Amino acid sequence: MIKKAVLPVAGLGTRFLPATKASPKEMLPILDKPLIQYAVEEAVKVGIEEFLFITGKHKRAIEDHFDKAYELEERLKRAGKYDLLEKINCFENLNIAYIRQKEPKGLGDAILCAKPFVKDEAFVVILSDDLIDPDHSVLHEMIKIYEEKKAPVIALEAVPLEEVSRYGIVSGKKIDGYYIVDNLIEKPEPAHAPSNLAIIGRYILTPQIFKYLDSLQPGRGGEIQLTDALKVLLDETVIYGYIIEGKRYDAGEKLGYLKTIVEFALKDTEISYQFVSFLKDKFSNL
Ligand code: G1P
């Protein structure tokens, strides 16, 4: 059983400056919930009990978000606002640890920081920028593959060829609904991409990855890349690729973030009706 999740949250969030100058991009709200909360809820749903956040400077708000807020809770109690109370104290039983990544040296370096936490267990990695429709449990399907194969599993999605340079790209053989990965390249130019299958921010990794991360040279962007470590890991183990079902939102850049909010607003029972009529009104003359 997989019980541990690692959530790298040390990224600088430069695509959202100045909003992310002093606040974490993971705290950007999609309606009334920050991005990071969707990631944690997704993990809780598949039975994850222990979380490790790899944090950096200016990330205090994430710790505060998952901490108890005595004063606020008292106020809400006194005001009889129990629905809100429930919304803010739903993390009380979570076991969350924090480690600081000393320098922003890349996703691979962030994952390496998780070595003492993970010990000898397989673990899940969630990148909260990739928001997956909460109605589809990608992690559940990936865990099923892991339990059968006892080997790393990465989430994949076919993307338009002109977008491959934004992702880790893999190639592989399709068997029984999943891929056996045979090559991985971090953010290739379209001409050098082995396919259009992009790595999405959900991984099931085994502790084998640490020895490769430990000795890895900086790759794309001068950073230690998880994709590069996975590529050398192929010498030791099979890596499975799972094509995600359900919609994935790229909330890590401005347009994707906006689209995510619109999609969630259209599904929100409280505001969707008014929001739709606002949109109709807005576009009626186009
Ligand atoms: C990271 C990974 C990349 C992966 C992507 C998914 O890139 O390095 O391989 O495809 O997440 O979102 P980032 O978006 O952090 O630059």
Side-chain angles (χ1 to χ4, degrees), residues 2 122 137-156 175-180 204 206 238-245:
I2 298 186
S137 185
V138 166
L139 284 181
H140 179 74
E141 296 305 318
M142 292 173 72
I143 289 173
K144 273 207 312 218
I145 299 176
Y146 171 77
E147 281 173 353
E148 193 190 321
K149 307 288 182 190
K150 295 284 180 276
V153 187
I154 56 181
L156 302 175
I175 298 173
D176 296 340
Y178 46 74
Y179 278 82
I180 302 216
I204 296 181
T206 53
V238 176
I239 297 177
Y240 293 91
Y242 169 72
I243 303 268
I244 63 167
E245 279 173 26

PDB file of all heavy atoms in Angstrom, residues 2 122 137-156 175-180 204 206 238-245:
ATOM      1  N   ILE A   2       0.487   2.236  -0.831  1.00  0.00           N
ATOM      2  CA  ILE A   2       1.239   3.492  -0.860  1.00  0.00           C
ATOM      3  C   ILE A   2       0.609   4.466   0.129  1.00  0.00           C
ATOM      4  O   ILE A   2      -0.586   4.762   0.047  1.00  0.00           O
ATOM      5  CB  ILE A   2       1.266   4.055  -2.291  1.00  0.00           C
ATOM      6  CG1 ILE A   2       1.993   3.046  -3.185  1.00  0.00           C
ATOM      7  CG2 ILE A   2       1.919   5.428  -2.320  1.00  0.00           C
ATOM      8  CD1 ILE A   2       2.237   3.503  -4.582  1.00  0.00           C
ATOM      9  N   ALA A 122       7.524   2.926  -1.648  1.00  0.00           N
ATOM     10  CA  ALA A 122       7.107   3.614  -2.877  1.00  0.00           C
ATOM     11  C   ALA A 122       6.280   4.839  -2.457  1.00  0.00           C
ATOM     12  O   ALA A 122       5.679   4.840  -1.381  1.00  0.00           O
ATOM     13  CB  ALA A 122       6.276   2.689  -3.734  1.00  0.00           C
ATOM     14  N   SER A 137     -10.167   9.627 -10.732  1.00  0.00           N
ATOM     15  CA  SER A 137      -8.995   9.399  -9.888  1.00  0.00           C
ATOM     16  C   SER A 137      -7.864   8.742 -10.665  1.00  0.00           C
ATOM     17  O   SER A 137      -7.747   7.529 -10.774  1.00  0.00           O
ATOM     18  CB  SER A 137      -9.320   8.586  -8.650  1.00  0.00           C
ATOM     19  OG  SER A 137      -8.122   8.557  -7.890  1.00  0.00           O
ATOM     20  N   VAL A 138      -7.021   9.616 -11.213  1.00  0.00           N
ATOM     21  CA  VAL A 138      -5.839   9.156 -11.930  1.00  0.00           C
ATOM     22  C   VAL A 138      -4.934   8.370 -10.976  1.00  0.00           C
ATOM     23  O   VAL A 138      -4.413   7.308 -11.312  1.00  0.00           O
ATOM     24  CB  VAL A 138      -5.106  10.390 -12.503  1.00  0.00           C
ATOM     25  CG1 VAL A 138      -3.719  10.031 -12.969  1.00  0.00           C
ATOM     26  CG2 VAL A 138      -5.905  10.980 -13.641  1.00  0.00           C
ATOM     27  N   LEU A 139      -4.784   8.894  -9.753  1.00  0.00           N
ATOM     28  CA  LEU A 139      -3.896   8.222  -8.794  1.00  0.00           C
ATOM     29  C   LEU A 139      -4.377   6.809  -8.483  1.00  0.00           C
ATOM     30  O   LEU A 139      -3.589   5.885  -8.352  1.00  0.00           O
ATOM     31  CB  LEU A 139      -3.803   9.025  -7.485  1.00  0.00           C
ATOM     32  CG  LEU A 139      -2.924  10.266  -7.524  1.00  0.00           C
ATOM     33  CD1 LEU A 139      -2.908  10.936  -6.150  1.00  0.00           C
ATOM     34  CD2 LEU A 139      -1.497   9.924  -7.946  1.00  0.00           C
ATOM     35  N   HIS A 140      -5.676   6.659  -8.374  1.00  0.00           N
ATOM     36  CA  HIS A 140      -6.236   5.339  -8.080  1.00  0.00           C
ATOM     37  C   HIS A 140      -5.807   4.338  -9.159  1.00  0.00           C
ATOM     38  O   HIS A 140      -5.353   3.228  -8.859  1.00  0.00           O
ATOM     39  CB  HIS A 140      -7.764   5.465  -8.012  1.00  0.00           C
ATOM     40  CG  HIS A 140      -8.449   4.174  -7.737  1.00  0.00           C
ATOM     41  ND1 HIS A 140      -8.439   3.592  -6.492  1.00  0.00           N
ATOM     42  CD2 HIS A 140      -9.127   3.330  -8.543  1.00  0.00           C
ATOM     43  CE1 HIS A 140      -9.097   2.448  -6.562  1.00  0.00           C
ATOM     44  NE2 HIS A 140      -9.521   2.272  -7.785  1.00  0.00           N
ATOM     45  N   GLU A 141      -5.942   4.742 -10.416  1.00  0.00           N
ATOM     46  CA  GLU A 141      -5.564   3.857 -11.528  1.00  0.00           C
ATOM     47  C   GLU A 141      -4.059   3.586 -11.525  1.00  0.00           C
ATOM     48  O   GLU A 141      -3.617   2.465 -11.787  1.00  0.00           O
ATOM     49  CB  GLU A 141      -5.975   4.483 -12.874  1.00  0.00           C
ATOM     50  CG  GLU A 141      -7.480   4.650 -13.056  1.00  0.00           C
ATOM     51  CD  GLU A 141      -8.244   3.346 -12.865  1.00  0.00           C
ATOM     52  OE1 GLU A 141      -7.771   2.314 -13.361  1.00  0.00           O
ATOM     53  OE2 GLU A 141      -9.294   3.352 -12.187  1.00  0.00           O
ATOM     54  N   MET A 142      -3.274   4.613 -11.226  1.00  0.00           N
ATOM     55  CA  MET A 142      -1.819   4.445 -11.226  1.00  0.00           C
ATOM     56  C   MET A 142      -1.384   3.504 -10.095  1.00  0.00           C
ATOM     57  O   MET A 142      -0.493   2.680 -10.267  1.00  0.00           O
ATOM     58  CB  MET A 142      -1.128   5.806 -11.084  1.00  0.00           C
ATOM     59  CG  MET A 142      -1.319   6.693 -12.301  1.00  0.00           C
ATOM     60  SD  MET A 142      -0.693   8.356 -12.043  1.00  0.00           S
ATOM     61  CE  MET A 142       1.074   8.092 -12.082  1.00  0.00           C
ATOM     62  N   ILE A 143      -2.038   3.635  -8.956  1.00  0.00           N
ATOM     63  CA  ILE A 143      -1.696   2.772  -7.814  1.00  0.00           C
ATOM     64  C   ILE A 143      -2.023   1.315  -8.149  1.00  0.00           C
ATOM     65  O   ILE A 143      -1.278   0.401  -7.807  1.00  0.00           O
ATOM     66  CB  ILE A 143      -2.402   3.261  -6.518  1.00  0.00           C
ATOM     67  CG1 ILE A 143      -1.751   4.566  -6.054  1.00  0.00           C
ATOM     68  CG2 ILE A 143      -2.342   2.202  -5.407  1.00  0.00           C
ATOM     69  CD1 ILE A 143      -2.427   5.261  -4.893  1.00  0.00           C
ATOM     70  N   LYS A 144      -3.127   1.137  -8.891  1.00  0.00           N
ATOM     71  CA  LYS A 144      -3.492  -0.238  -9.289  1.00  0.00           C
ATOM     72  C   LYS A 144      -2.367  -0.851 -10.142  1.00  0.00           C
ATOM     73  O   LYS A 144      -1.988  -2.000  -9.952  1.00  0.00           O
ATOM     74  CB  LYS A 144      -4.800  -0.229 -10.097  1.00  0.00           C
ATOM     75  CG  LYS A 144      -6.009  -0.312  -9.208  1.00  0.00           C
ATOM     76  CD  LYS A 144      -7.245  -0.930  -9.824  1.00  0.00           C
ATOM     77  CE  LYS A 144      -7.670  -0.458 -11.166  1.00  0.00           C
ATOM     78  NZ  LYS A 144      -9.083  -0.312 -11.430  1.00  0.00           N
ATOM     79  N   ILE A 145      -1.846  -0.056 -11.077  1.00  0.00           N
ATOM     80  CA  ILE A 145      -0.751  -0.564 -11.928  1.00  0.00           C
ATOM     81  C   ILE A 145       0.480  -0.861 -11.056  1.00  0.00           C
ATOM     82  O   ILE A 145       1.115  -1.901 -11.176  1.00  0.00           O
ATOM     83  CB  ILE A 145      -0.388   0.439 -13.050  1.00  0.00           C
ATOM     84  CG1 ILE A 145      -1.594   0.673 -13.949  1.00  0.00           C
ATOM     85  CG2 ILE A 145       0.815  -0.055 -13.860  1.00  0.00           C
ATOM     86  CD1 ILE A 145      -1.390   1.711 -15.040  1.00  0.00           C
ATOM     87  N   TYR A 146       0.778   0.085 -10.146  1.00  0.00           N
ATOM     88  CA  TYR A 146       1.942  -0.133  -9.280  1.00  0.00           C
ATOM     89  C   TYR A 146       1.791  -1.429  -8.471  1.00  0.00           C
ATOM     90  O   TYR A 146       2.727  -2.233  -8.364  1.00  0.00           O
ATOM     91  CB  TYR A 146       2.164   1.053  -8.326  1.00  0.00           C
ATOM     92  CG  TYR A 146       3.224   0.712  -7.314  1.00  0.00           C
ATOM     93  CD1 TYR A 146       4.569   0.718  -7.657  1.00  0.00           C
ATOM     94  CD2 TYR A 146       2.872   0.272  -6.030  1.00  0.00           C
ATOM     95  CE1 TYR A 146       5.551   0.312  -6.766  1.00  0.00           C
ATOM     96  CE2 TYR A 146       3.845  -0.142  -5.133  1.00  0.00           C
ATOM     97  CZ  TYR A 146       5.179  -0.114  -5.510  1.00  0.00           C
ATOM     98  OH  TYR A 146       6.142  -0.530  -4.624  1.00  0.00           O
ATOM     99  N   GLU A 147       0.608  -1.628  -7.917  1.00  0.00           N
ATOM    100  CA  GLU A 147       0.419  -2.808  -7.063  1.00  0.00           C
ATOM    101  C   GLU A 147       0.576  -4.111  -7.838  1.00  0.00           C
ATOM    102  O   GLU A 147       1.064  -5.093  -7.309  1.00  0.00           O
ATOM    103  CB  GLU A 147      -0.932  -2.733  -6.335  1.00  0.00           C
ATOM    104  CG  GLU A 147      -0.785  -1.789  -5.149  1.00  0.00           C
ATOM    105  CD  GLU A 147      -2.071  -1.476  -4.431  1.00  0.00           C
ATOM    106  OE1 GLU A 147      -3.142  -1.888  -4.908  1.00  0.00           O
ATOM    107  OE2 GLU A 147      -1.995  -0.807  -3.388  1.00  0.00           O
ATOM    108  N   GLU A 148       0.217  -4.056  -9.117  1.00  0.00           N
ATOM    109  CA  GLU A 148       0.379  -5.253  -9.933  1.00  0.00           C
ATOM    110  C   GLU A 148       1.836  -5.441 -10.374  1.00  0.00           C
ATOM    111  O   GLU A 148       2.362  -6.545 -10.362  1.00  0.00           O
ATOM    112  CB  GLU A 148      -0.538  -5.126 -11.151  1.00  0.00           C
ATOM    113  CG  GLU A 148      -0.699  -6.407 -11.921  1.00  0.00           C
ATOM    114  CD  GLU A 148      -1.404  -6.161 -13.248  1.00  0.00           C
ATOM    115  OE1 GLU A 148      -2.355  -5.345 -13.293  1.00  0.00           O
ATOM    116  OE2 GLU A 148      -0.988  -6.781 -14.243  1.00  0.00           O
ATOM    117  N   LYS A 149       2.493  -4.342 -10.759  1.00  0.00           N
ATOM    118  CA  LYS A 149       3.818  -4.450 -11.386  1.00  0.00           C
ATOM    119  C   LYS A 149       4.979  -4.174 -10.442  1.00  0.00           C
ATOM    120  O   LYS A 149       6.127  -4.471 -10.759  1.00  0.00           O
ATOM    121  CB  LYS A 149       3.922  -3.450 -12.560  1.00  0.00           C
ATOM    122  CG  LYS A 149       2.801  -3.554 -13.567  1.00  0.00           C
ATOM    123  CD  LYS A 149       2.949  -4.805 -14.384  1.00  0.00           C
ATOM    124  CE  LYS A 149       1.871  -4.900 -15.438  1.00  0.00           C
ATOM    125  NZ  LYS A 149       1.853  -6.203 -16.098  1.00  0.00           N
ATOM    126  N   LYS A 150       4.707  -3.489  -9.341  1.00  0.00           N
ATOM    127  CA  LYS A 150       5.764  -3.095  -8.389  1.00  0.00           C
ATOM    128  C   LYS A 150       6.905  -2.342  -9.094  1.00  0.00           C
ATOM    129  O   LYS A 150       8.093  -2.634  -8.896  1.00  0.00           O
ATOM    130  CB  LYS A 150       6.324  -4.326  -7.656  1.00  0.00           C
ATOM    131  CG  LYS A 150       5.297  -5.012  -6.760  1.00  0.00           C
ATOM    132  CD  LYS A 150       5.069  -4.226  -5.472  1.00  0.00           C
ATOM    133  CE  LYS A 150       4.071  -4.835  -4.531  1.00  0.00           C
ATOM    134  NZ  LYS A 150       2.663  -4.552  -4.775  1.00  0.00           N
ATOM    135  N   ALA A 151       6.516  -1.417  -9.967  1.00  0.00           N
ATOM    136  CA  ALA A 151       7.505  -0.610 -10.690  1.00  0.00           C
ATOM    137  C   ALA A 151       6.952   0.812 -10.837  1.00  0.00           C
ATOM    138  O   ALA A 151       5.737   1.021 -10.705  1.00  0.00           O
ATOM    139  CB  ALA A 151       7.747  -1.232 -12.063  1.00  0.00           C
ATOM    140  N   PRO A 152       7.821   1.791 -11.106  1.00  0.00           N
ATOM    141  CA  PRO A 152       7.349   3.177 -11.203  1.00  0.00           C
ATOM    142  C   PRO A 152       6.289   3.373 -12.290  1.00  0.00           C
ATOM    143  O   PRO A 152       6.314   2.693 -13.326  1.00  0.00           O
ATOM    144  CB  PRO A 152       8.619   3.962 -11.565  1.00  0.00           C
ATOM    145  CG  PRO A 152       9.748   3.093 -11.128  1.00  0.00           C
ATOM    146  CD  PRO A 152       9.278   1.681 -11.270  1.00  0.00           C
ATOM    147  N   VAL A 153       5.386   4.309 -12.038  1.00  0.00           N
ATOM    148  CA  VAL A 153       4.309   4.620 -12.991  1.00  0.00           C
ATOM    149  C   VAL A 153       4.258   6.138 -13.152  1.00  0.00           C
ATOM    150  O   VAL A 153       4.287   6.860 -12.153  1.00  0.00           O
ATOM    151  CB  VAL A 153       2.933   4.135 -12.468  1.00  0.00           C
ATOM    152  CG1 VAL A 153       1.860   4.306 -13.531  1.00  0.00           C
ATOM    153  CG2 VAL A 153       2.988   2.686 -11.988  1.00  0.00           C
ATOM    154  N   ILE A 154       4.183   6.600 -14.398  1.00  0.00           N
ATOM    155  CA  ILE A 154       4.045   8.042 -14.604  1.00  0.00           C
ATOM    156  C   ILE A 154       2.771   8.333 -15.399  1.00  0.00           C
ATOM    157  O   ILE A 154       2.361   7.532 -16.232  1.00  0.00           O
ATOM    158  CB  ILE A 154       5.288   8.659 -15.315  1.00  0.00           C
ATOM    159  CG1 ILE A 154       5.575   7.957 -16.644  1.00  0.00           C
ATOM    160  CG2 ILE A 154       6.501   8.599 -14.428  1.00  0.00           C
ATOM    161  CD1 ILE A 154       6.798   8.497 -17.360  1.00  0.00           C
ATOM    162  N   ALA A 155       2.166   9.476 -15.117  1.00  0.00           N
ATOM    163  CA  ALA A 155       0.937   9.849 -15.817  1.00  0.00           C
ATOM    164  C   ALA A 155       1.295  10.516 -17.139  1.00  0.00           C
ATOM    165  O   ALA A 155       2.240  11.310 -17.210  1.00  0.00           O
ATOM    166  CB  ALA A 155       0.120  10.804 -14.954  1.00  0.00           C
ATOM    167  N   LEU A 156       0.533  10.189 -18.180  1.00  0.00           N
ATOM    168  CA  LEU A 156       0.817  10.731 -19.514  1.00  0.00           C
ATOM    169  C   LEU A 156      -0.441  11.314 -20.149  1.00  0.00           C
ATOM    170  O   LEU A 156      -1.560  10.872 -19.847  1.00  0.00           O
ATOM    171  CB  LEU A 156       1.334   9.612 -20.430  1.00  0.00           C
ATOM    172  CG  LEU A 156       2.591   8.858 -20.010  1.00  0.00           C
ATOM    173  CD1 LEU A 156       2.860   7.711 -20.986  1.00  0.00           C
ATOM    174  CD2 LEU A 156       3.792   9.798 -19.956  1.00  0.00           C
ATOM    175  N   ILE A 175       0.702  -1.494 -24.282  1.00  0.00           N
ATOM    176  CA  ILE A 175       0.282  -2.878 -23.993  1.00  0.00           C
ATOM    177  C   ILE A 175      -0.822  -2.815 -22.945  1.00  0.00           C
ATOM    178  O   ILE A 175      -0.662  -2.151 -21.913  1.00  0.00           O
ATOM    179  CB  ILE A 175       1.462  -3.710 -23.412  1.00  0.00           C
ATOM    180  CG1 ILE A 175       2.589  -3.791 -24.420  1.00  0.00           C
ATOM    181  CG2 ILE A 175       1.008  -5.105 -22.973  1.00  0.00           C
ATOM    182  CD1 ILE A 175       3.843  -4.433 -23.906  1.00  0.00           C
ATOM    183  N   ASP A 176      -1.924  -3.494 -23.179  1.00  0.00           N
ATOM    184  CA  ASP A 176      -3.001  -3.586 -22.177  1.00  0.00           C
ATOM    185  C   ASP A 176      -3.405  -2.248 -21.567  1.00  0.00           C
ATOM    186  O   ASP A 176      -3.540  -2.141 -20.344  1.00  0.00           O
ATOM    187  CB  ASP A 176      -2.566  -4.497 -21.003  1.00  0.00           C
ATOM    188  CG  ASP A 176      -2.348  -5.915 -21.469  1.00  0.00           C
ATOM    189  OD1 ASP A 176      -2.877  -6.268 -22.540  1.00  0.00           O
ATOM    190  OD2 ASP A 176      -1.657  -6.659 -20.749  1.00  0.00           O
ATOM    191  N   GLY A 177      -3.517  -1.223 -22.341  1.00  0.00           N
ATOM    192  CA  GLY A 177      -4.010   0.037 -21.791  1.00  0.00           C
ATOM    193  C   GLY A 177      -2.970   0.895 -21.096  1.00  0.00           C
ATOM    194  O   GLY A 177      -3.283   1.969 -20.608  1.00  0.00           O
ATOM    195  N   TYR A 178      -1.713   0.435 -21.008  1.00  0.00           N
ATOM    196  CA  TYR A 178      -0.669   1.328 -20.500  1.00  0.00           C
ATOM    197  C   TYR A 178       0.571   1.230 -21.378  1.00  0.00           C
ATOM    198  O   TYR A 178       0.663   0.364 -22.253  1.00  0.00           O
ATOM    199  CB  TYR A 178      -0.335   1.060 -19.027  1.00  0.00           C
ATOM    200  CG  TYR A 178      -0.157  -0.386 -18.674  1.00  0.00           C
ATOM    201  CD1 TYR A 178       0.994  -1.063 -19.059  1.00  0.00           C
ATOM    202  CD2 TYR A 178      -1.130  -1.066 -17.958  1.00  0.00           C
ATOM    203  CE1 TYR A 178       1.167  -2.388 -18.734  1.00  0.00           C
ATOM    204  CE2 TYR A 178      -0.967  -2.405 -17.637  1.00  0.00           C
ATOM    205  CZ  TYR A 178       0.191  -3.060 -18.032  1.00  0.00           C
ATOM    206  OH  TYR A 178       0.349  -4.366 -17.731  1.00  0.00           O
ATOM    207  N   TYR A 179       1.506   2.136 -21.148  1.00  0.00           N
ATOM    208  CA  TYR A 179       2.723   2.157 -21.955  1.00  0.00           C
ATOM    209  C   TYR A 179       3.901   1.579 -21.182  1.00  0.00           C
ATOM    210  O   TYR A 179       4.005   1.781 -19.972  1.00  0.00           O
ATOM    211  CB  TYR A 179       3.076   3.601 -22.348  1.00  0.00           C
ATOM    212  CG  TYR A 179       2.304   4.085 -23.541  1.00  0.00           C
ATOM    213  CD1 TYR A 179       1.009   4.562 -23.396  1.00  0.00           C
ATOM    214  CD2 TYR A 179       2.857   4.042 -24.818  1.00  0.00           C
ATOM    215  CE1 TYR A 179       0.279   4.989 -24.496  1.00  0.00           C
ATOM    216  CE2 TYR A 179       2.134   4.464 -25.930  1.00  0.00           C
ATOM    217  CZ  TYR A 179       0.854   4.936 -25.762  1.00  0.00           C
ATOM    218  OH  TYR A 179       0.140   5.352 -26.852  1.00  0.00           O
ATOM    219  N   ILE A 180       4.758   0.890 -21.901  1.00  0.00           N
ATOM    220  CA  ILE A 180       6.058   0.525 -21.334  1.00  0.00           C
ATOM    221  C   ILE A 180       7.019   1.553 -21.911  1.00  0.00           C
ATOM    222  O   ILE A 180       7.250   1.610 -23.117  1.00  0.00           O
ATOM    223  CB  ILE A 180       6.451  -0.905 -21.753  1.00  0.00           C
ATOM    224  CG1 ILE A 180       5.349  -1.844 -21.274  1.00  0.00           C
ATOM    225  CG2 ILE A 180       7.848  -1.252 -21.262  1.00  0.00           C
ATOM    226  CD1 ILE A 180       5.757  -3.171 -20.805  1.00  0.00           C
ATOM    227  N   ILE A 204       4.301   7.712  -9.575  1.00  0.00           N
ATOM    228  CA  ILE A 204       4.523   6.783  -8.464  1.00  0.00           C
ATOM    229  C   ILE A 204       5.966   6.332  -8.609  1.00  0.00           C
ATOM    230  O   ILE A 204       6.358   5.787  -9.657  1.00  0.00           O
ATOM    231  CB  ILE A 204       3.573   5.577  -8.508  1.00  0.00           C
ATOM    232  CG1 ILE A 204       2.154   6.095  -8.324  1.00  0.00           C
ATOM    233  CG2 ILE A 204       3.925   4.581  -7.391  1.00  0.00           C
ATOM    234  CD1 ILE A 204       1.096   5.036  -8.320  1.00  0.00           C
ATOM    235  N   THR A 206       9.676   4.690  -6.834  1.00  0.00           N
ATOM    236  CA  THR A 206      10.243   3.791  -5.824  1.00  0.00           C
ATOM    237  C   THR A 206      11.552   4.431  -5.349  1.00  0.00           C
ATOM    238  O   THR A 206      12.132   5.273  -6.065  1.00  0.00           O
ATOM    239  CB  THR A 206      10.511   2.416  -6.460  1.00  0.00           C
ATOM    240  OG1 THR A 206      11.301   2.614  -7.641  1.00  0.00           O
ATOM    241  CG2 THR A 206       9.208   1.715  -6.834  1.00  0.00           C
ATOM    242  N   VAL A 238      11.539  -1.477 -15.380  1.00  0.00           N
ATOM    243  CA  VAL A 238      10.522  -1.036 -16.340  1.00  0.00           C
ATOM    244  C   VAL A 238       9.819   0.171 -15.728  1.00  0.00           C
ATOM    245  O   VAL A 238       9.627   0.245 -14.513  1.00  0.00           O
ATOM    246  CB  VAL A 238       9.488  -2.163 -16.561  1.00  0.00           C
ATOM    247  CG1 VAL A 238       8.360  -1.711 -17.478  1.00  0.00           C
ATOM    248  CG2 VAL A 238      10.169  -3.397 -17.119  1.00  0.00           C
ATOM    249  N   ILE A 239       9.468   1.158 -16.552  1.00  0.00           N
ATOM    250  CA  ILE A 239       8.639   2.276 -16.085  1.00  0.00           C
ATOM    251  C   ILE A 239       7.342   2.219 -16.897  1.00  0.00           C
ATOM    252  O   ILE A 239       7.385   2.122 -18.130  1.00  0.00           O
ATOM    253  CB  ILE A 239       9.346   3.630 -16.271  1.00  0.00           C
ATOM    254  CG1 ILE A 239      10.626   3.680 -15.416  1.00  0.00           C
ATOM    255  CG2 ILE A 239       8.415   4.790 -15.909  1.00  0.00           C
ATOM    256  CD1 ILE A 239      11.444   4.953 -15.591  1.00  0.00           C
ATOM    257  N   TYR A 240       6.226   2.302 -16.199  1.00  0.00           N
ATOM    258  CA  TYR A 240       4.924   2.239 -16.862  1.00  0.00           C
ATOM    259  C   TYR A 240       4.366   3.651 -17.038  1.00  0.00           C
ATOM    260  O   TYR A 240       4.550   4.517 -16.178  1.00  0.00           O
ATOM    261  CB  TYR A 240       3.953   1.378 -16.042  1.00  0.00           C
ATOM    262  CG  TYR A 240       4.378  -0.069 -16.038  1.00  0.00           C
ATOM    263  CD1 TYR A 240       5.216  -0.562 -15.041  1.00  0.00           C
ATOM    264  CD2 TYR A 240       3.991  -0.926 -17.066  1.00  0.00           C
ATOM    265  CE1 TYR A 240       5.649  -1.883 -15.059  1.00  0.00           C
ATOM    266  CE2 TYR A 240       4.420  -2.248 -17.095  1.00  0.00           C
ATOM    267  CZ  TYR A 240       5.245  -2.707 -16.094  1.00  0.00           C
ATOM    268  OH  TYR A 240       5.676  -4.016 -16.132  1.00  0.00           O
ATOM    269  N   GLY A 241       3.681   3.844 -18.170  1.00  0.00           N
ATOM    270  CA  GLY A 241       3.027   5.127 -18.421  1.00  0.00           C
ATOM    271  C   GLY A 241       1.523   4.916 -18.464  1.00  0.00           C
ATOM    272  O   GLY A 241       1.052   3.998 -19.157  1.00  0.00           O
ATOM    273  N   TYR A 242       0.810   5.726 -17.728  1.00  0.00           N
ATOM    274  CA  TYR A 242      -0.652   5.607 -17.694  1.00  0.00           C
ATOM    275  C   TYR A 242      -1.271   6.845 -18.346  1.00  0.00           C
ATOM    276  O   TYR A 242      -1.016   7.975 -17.903  1.00  0.00           O
ATOM    277  CB  TYR A 242      -1.128   5.476 -16.233  1.00  0.00           C
ATOM    278  CG  TYR A 242      -2.623   5.624 -16.094  1.00  0.00           C
ATOM    279  CD1 TYR A 242      -3.477   4.611 -16.550  1.00  0.00           C
ATOM    280  CD2 TYR A 242      -3.184   6.782 -15.550  1.00  0.00           C
ATOM    281  CE1 TYR A 242      -4.861   4.760 -16.465  1.00  0.00           C
ATOM    282  CE2 TYR A 242      -4.564   6.933 -15.455  1.00  0.00           C
ATOM    283  CZ  TYR A 242      -5.389   5.910 -15.914  1.00  0.00           C
ATOM    284  OH  TYR A 242      -6.744   6.063 -15.837  1.00  0.00           O
ATOM    285  N   ILE A 243      -2.036   6.652 -19.408  1.00  0.00           N
ATOM    286  CA  ILE A 243      -2.689   7.787 -20.082  1.00  0.00           C
ATOM    287  C   ILE A 243      -3.889   8.219 -19.237  1.00  0.00           C
ATOM    288  O   ILE A 243      -4.797   7.414 -19.007  1.00  0.00           O
ATOM    289  CB  ILE A 243      -3.186   7.398 -21.488  1.00  0.00           C
ATOM    290  CG1 ILE A 243      -2.038   6.877 -22.342  1.00  0.00           C
ATOM    291  CG2 ILE A 243      -3.906   8.562 -22.154  1.00  0.00           C
ATOM    292  CD1 ILE A 243      -1.328   7.891 -23.186  1.00  0.00           C
ATOM    293  N   ILE A 244      -3.856   9.452 -18.808  1.00  0.00           N
ATOM    294  CA  ILE A 244      -4.905   9.886 -17.870  1.00  0.00           C
ATOM    295  C   ILE A 244      -6.267   9.978 -18.561  1.00  0.00           C
ATOM    296  O   ILE A 244      -6.361  10.295 -19.750  1.00  0.00           O
ATOM    297  CB  ILE A 244      -4.580  11.242 -17.197  1.00  0.00           C
ATOM    298  CG1 ILE A 244      -4.495  12.374 -18.213  1.00  0.00           C
ATOM    299  CG2 ILE A 244      -3.298  11.159 -16.403  1.00  0.00           C
ATOM    300  CD1 ILE A 244      -4.492  13.740 -17.562  1.00  0.00           C
ATOM    301  N   GLU A 245      -7.289   9.690 -17.775  1.00  0.00           N
ATOM    302  CA  GLU A 245      -8.660   9.906 -18.247  1.00  0.00           C
ATOM    303  C   GLU A 245      -9.177  11.118 -17.504  1.00  0.00           C
ATOM    304  O   GLU A 245      -8.721  11.409 -16.403  1.00  0.00           O
ATOM    305  CB  GLU A 245      -9.514   8.682 -17.926  1.00  0.00           C
ATOM    306  CG  GLU A 245      -9.316   7.584 -18.940  1.00  0.00           C
ATOM    307  CD  GLU A 245     -10.020   6.308 -18.545  1.00  0.00           C
ATOM    308  OE1 GLU A 245     -11.011   6.374 -17.807  1.00  0.00           O
ATOM    309  OE2 GLU A 245      -9.548   5.255 -18.981  1.00  0.00           O
TER     310      GLU A 245
END
